[in-house]
């Protein structure tokens, strides 16, 4: 199976580029922040600097680990789904399900290892830049030198390989097993996340305006609500489609295609919901906190600076990862629709109508993801703003939300339309013949 995995990678390396990119970015982020552990553990580092470095590594390292898993899982899920016919042919040739799992996991681990090794150099540079940012803000002493040691190296490689192996195993199991049991477990987890998230946001009112832990409850509540919505994304998308009064060829085809592919598009919708909720909630709550401190006439403490740095860094990581996940998933899902587009053109649809259908599909996905992500974000923002400032809405207006919307829309609509335009360059007869 190992030789078969290597042969598959050498035969069609292009199908693994998305996984390689996800593993590279994930390992780079993990090693960059975990190098702060190595830096904090050096002799002569003062306690304040060590606490700042350790806290940053712990919080962002945890987020980074989750994001690596989701990013690699999303790319591998699309990869395995597109190879259903190939895997079925191997099964008919005598391969057992266990052998197929070992082959797919072997491919994922090999690609992830290459990505992790390539990430070492950028992680070293990123760690130095991150330390410089903490020193410029006065959170870490100038005398502290950056160190890239065993904690950063081993954690980056180990976590990336484990995430790739686990994601590959889940992807191949989904492709070879039924959906009923998994759907039941997904619904249970979704409702549990929604209930816990609602309780978390409501618990915000138990804190005082100056409580150091005030932001934690609404932030985690909004995240859990977005996770709940994300897990229910196939049901949410189907519910939206049932209520859309779209007419015309492009609108009718878009709704029909989305309804048929709702389960496969769940990963894209999940990314949109999580990105919108986490980015919007974090940025607005940090803005409310900064405005409240400025209005009080106080200067920011080291802890307040640490929190602001962590929030902005986490949002930056989420933006990068979600864009990678969206672009990879949409590119793979659209590029494999060549036969479908060819059949539509042979049936009389013009290239413009096909592009219009893809655009309407992307618009529906974007609006749905933004709506439920915004609902989850507001569930955290409003209680925090009421407790912290006695106002209902933040003073920053719609600027932050519009920036988040612009990034999400550009990633979703841009990738779908550009990829579809490239696929349409193949003549209709040739596209149907090549995919057959």
């Amino acid at each position: 199976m190992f030789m078969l995995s290597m042969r598959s990678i050498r035969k069609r390396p292009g199908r693994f580029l998305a996984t390689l990119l996800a593993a590279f970015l994930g390992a780079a982020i993990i090693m960059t922040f975990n190098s702060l552990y190595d830096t904090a553990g050096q002799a002569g580092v003062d306690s304040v600097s060590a606490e700042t470095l350790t806290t940053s590594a712990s919080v962002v390292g945890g987020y980074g680990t989750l994001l690596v898993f989701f990013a690699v899982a999303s790319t591998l899920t699309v990869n395995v789904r597109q190879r259903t016919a190939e895997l079925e042919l191997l099964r008919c040739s005598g391969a057992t399900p266990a052998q197929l799992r070992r082959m797919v996991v072997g491919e994922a681990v090999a690609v992830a290892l290459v990505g992790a090794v390539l990430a070492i150099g950028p992680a070293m540079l990123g760690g130095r830049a991150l330390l410089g940012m903490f020193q410029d803000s006065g959170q870490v002493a100038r005398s502290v030198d950056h160190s890239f040691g065993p904690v950063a190296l081993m954690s980056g490689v180990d976590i990336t390989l484990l995430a790739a192996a686990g994601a590959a195993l889940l992807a191949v199991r989904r492709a070879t097993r039924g959906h009923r049991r998994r759907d039941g477990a997904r619904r249970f987890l979704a409702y549990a996340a929604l209930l816990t998230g609602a309780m978390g946001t409501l618990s915000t009112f138990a804190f005082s305006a100056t409580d150091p832990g005030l932001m934690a409850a609404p932030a985690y509540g909004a995240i859990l609500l977005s996770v709940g919505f994300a897990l229910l994304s196939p049901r949410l998308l189907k519910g939206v489609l049932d209520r859309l009064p779209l007419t015309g060829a492009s609108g009718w085809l878009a709704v029909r295609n989305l309804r048929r592919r709702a389960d496969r598009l769940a990963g894209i919708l999940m990314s949109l919901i999580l990105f919108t909720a986490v980015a919007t909630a974090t940025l607005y709550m940090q803005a409310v906190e900064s405005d409240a401190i400025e209005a009080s006439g106080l200067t920011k403490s080291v802890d307040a600076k640490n929190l602001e740095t962590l929030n902005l860094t986490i949002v930056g990581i989420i933006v990068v990862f979600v864009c990678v996940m969206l672009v990879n998933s949409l590119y793979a899902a659209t590029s494999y629709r060549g036969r479908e587009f060819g059949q539509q053109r042979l049936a009389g649809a013009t290239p413009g109508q096909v592009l219009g259908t893809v655009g309407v599909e992307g618009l529906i996905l974007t609006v749905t993801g933004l709506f439920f992500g915004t609902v989850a974000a507001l569930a955290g923002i409003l209680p925090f703003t009421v407790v912290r400032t006695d106002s209902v809405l933040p003073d920053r207006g719609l600027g932050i939300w519009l920036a988040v919307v612009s990034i999400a829309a550009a990633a979703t609509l841009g990738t779908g339309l550009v990829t579809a335009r490239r696929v349409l360059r193949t003549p209709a007869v040739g596209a149907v013949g090549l995919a057959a």
Side-chain angles (χ1 to χ4, degrees):
M1 285 294 110
F2 177 77
M3 295 302 297
L4 188 59
S5 299
M6 297 301 100
R7 186 182 306 167
S8 177
I9 295 174
R10 287 195 299 269
K11 183 179 178 180
R12 298 185 65 181
R15 66 164 51 150
F16 298 101
L17 287 178
T19 304
L20 178 64
L21 179 59
F24 169 79
L25 289 173
I29 290 173
I30 290 174
M31 287 190 282
T32 294
F33 281 92
N34 281 343
S35 69
L36 300 182
Y37 281 122
D38 295 310
T39 303
Q42 296 180 104
V45 178
D46 62 278
S47 59
V48 175
S49 299
E51 183 179 359
T52 298
L53 296 171
T54 303
T55 302
S56 302
S58 301
V59 175
V60 182
Y63 274 100
T65 301
L66 291 175
L67 289 170
V68 169
F69 181 83
F70 282 120
V72 175
S74 67
T75 57
L76 285 173
T77 299
V78 174
N79 183 299
V80 171
R81 281 176 174 169
Q82 303 296 351
R83 299 168 61 190
T84 301
E86 175 190 337
L87 297 176
E88 191 63 31
L89 179 61
L90 289 173
R91 290 190 64 181
C92 294
S93 302
T96 64
Q99 288 175 324
L100 294 179
R101 286 195 291 270
R102 287 197 295 270
M103 181 191 75
V104 175
V105 171
E107 293 170 355
V109 170
V111 172
L113 180 59
V114 174
V117 172
L118 293 175
I120 293 175
M124 290 181 176
L125 298 176
R128 291 183 181 276
L130 188 61
L131 177 62
M133 183 180 68
F134 281 118
Q135 290 173 332
D136 291 340
S137 63
Q139 299 165 257
V140 175
R142 289 283 182 183
S143 59
V144 177
D145 295 323
H146 180 258
S147 175
F148 189 92
V151 175
L153 183 62
M154 296 306 296
S155 63
V157 174
D158 291 347
I159 291 173
T160 304
L161 295 184
L162 287 174
L169 186 61
L170 287 175
V172 74
R173 283 170 65 90
R174 289 174 179 175
T176 56
R177 290 193 174 188
H179 299 276
R180 188 170 300 173
R181 181 178 299 177
R182 188 176 79 245
D183 288 344
R186 172 178 286 188
R187 284 198 300 272
F188 174 79
L189 292 175
Y191 293 140
L194 290 174
L195 178 61
T196 309
M199 293 174 62
T201 56
L202 291 175
S203 67
T204 307
F205 296 103
F207 292 85
S208 64
T210 57
D211 197 307
L214 173 62
M215 194 181 295
Y220 284 115
I223 292 172
L224 286 172
L225 286 173
S226 67
V227 169
F229 287 142
L231 291 172
L232 291 174
S233 54
R235 284 171 161 253
L236 297 177
L237 180 58
K238 291 176 182 177
V240 170
L241 293 174
D242 290 339
R243 292 164 175 80
L244 282 179
L246 289 179
T247 59
S250 297
W252 183 85
L253 278 175
V255 173
R256 178 181 176 275
N257 290 338
L258 286 174
R259 186 177 288 113
R260 179 171 52 88
R261 298 165 55 233
D263 291 332
R264 295 186 179 184
L265 295 173
I268 298 171
L269 193 55
M270 288 175 66
S271 301
L272 282 168
I273 293 173
L274 291 171
F275 166 67
T276 304
V278 177
T280 304
T282 304
L283 290 175
Y284 268 110
M285 283 192 281
Q286 181 58 56
V288 170
E289 177 66 20
S290 299
D291 291 344
I293 293 176
E294 183 178 354
S296 66
L298 301 175
T299 58
K300 290 184 179 180
S301 63
V302 174
D303 290 338
K305 291 181 179 180
N306 288 346
L307 181 61
E308 183 176 8
T309 302
L310 289 176
N311 286 336
L312 297 177
T313 304
I314 289 170
V315 171
I317 293 173
I318 290 172
V319 168
V320 172
F321 259 90
V322 169
C323 286
V324 170
M325 292 165 65
L326 280 175
V327 170
N328 285 343
S329 300
L330 279 168
Y331 176 81
T334 306
S335 61
Y336 279 91
R337 298 175 67 184
R339 184 180 185 183
E340 175 190 337
F341 293 162
Q343 290 174 334
Q344 291 175 0
R345 291 162 67 189
L346 290 177
T350 65
Q353 287 176 323
V354 176
L355 281 177
T357 299
V358 174
V360 175
E361 291 174 5
L363 183 62
I364 294 172
L365 282 175
T366 303
V367 172
T368 303
L370 291 173
F371 174 78
F372 288 104
T374 302
V375 170
L378 286 174
I381 294 170
L382 297 182
F384 177 79
T385 306
V386 169
V387 174
R388 190 69 178 91
T389 66
D390 291 332
S391 299
V392 177
L393 295 174
D395 295 331
R396 295 298 180 99
L398 296 176
I400 295 175
W401 183 78
L402 290 175
V404 172
V405 168
S406 300
I407 295 173
T412 307
L413 296 174
T415 303
L417 290 174
V418 170
T419 307
R421 191 177 185 86
R422 185 186 66 82
V423 173
L424 287 172
R425 292 176 183 173
T426 304
V429 175
V432 174
L434 288 174

